Amino acid sequence: MKPEKIKVYRTLEGNIFEFVFLVLLIAVWVAIIQFLSSAPDIVPTHFDAAGRPNSYGSKYGILLPTIITTIAAISMMVCAYFPNKINMPTKISTTHQYELAIRMLRVLGLVLLALTLTIAYTSLVAGAHGSPSAMPILAVVGAMFVVIIVFTILIHKAK
């Protein structure tokens, strides 16, 4: 059975999410540019399982993961308008379930922006001051998993 076509209209909640997202997107990239301008030429670019840096490279090498996570964040916000394309481990059939799935994507977009900022800060600022740790990055990734798990449970219970 083919999933029905769901039309997502603009709502106050969606507008607020998108406005906050846009403001954060601009703030994150202003911060990244500021971090880049004051970072040393060589910064930590990878961390071991204990959270210690084990690879170093050009400060501009940090742009690749930050651009990728920014694109992923923007993709989450766009995908919120196509909820019938969301691949969930539970069947989505009610309007309330679709609303929760849309909200989950928007929250994940914001969390991915936090991940973008955390990656840049960890390598460019904390790394420049000799105290980098992967713990902030792991905390944001953990928050991302919590968001996914909580919303999946809510969607499943909203039958």
Side-chain angles (χ1 to χ4, degrees), residues 34-110:
Q34 182 67 28
F35 295 163
L36 275 171
S37 68
S38 61
D41 291 335
I42 303 299
V43 296
T45 57
H46 192 268
F47 298 86
D48 64 17
R52 293 181 303 266
N54 63 1
S55 181
Y56 294 83
S58 167
K59 65 182 178 181
Y60 298 107
I62 297 304
L63 287 176
L64 182 62
T66 55
I67 289 170
I68 290 170
T69 54
T70 300
I71 291 169
I74 293 168
S75 297
M76 291 291 169
M77 298 304 281
V78 171
C79 286
Y81 285 95
F82 304 98
N84 56 317
K85 304 287 186 191
I86 301 169
N87 186 8
M88 292 292 295
T90 186
K91 184 174 174 20
I92 300 178
S93 56
T94 68
T95 303
H96 185 58
Q97 287 177 313
Y98 279 109
E99 289 171 353
L100 288 168
I102 291 166
R103 193 169 297 132
M104 177 184 73
L105 289 173
R106 289 177 172 152
V107 171
L108 285 174
L110 295 174

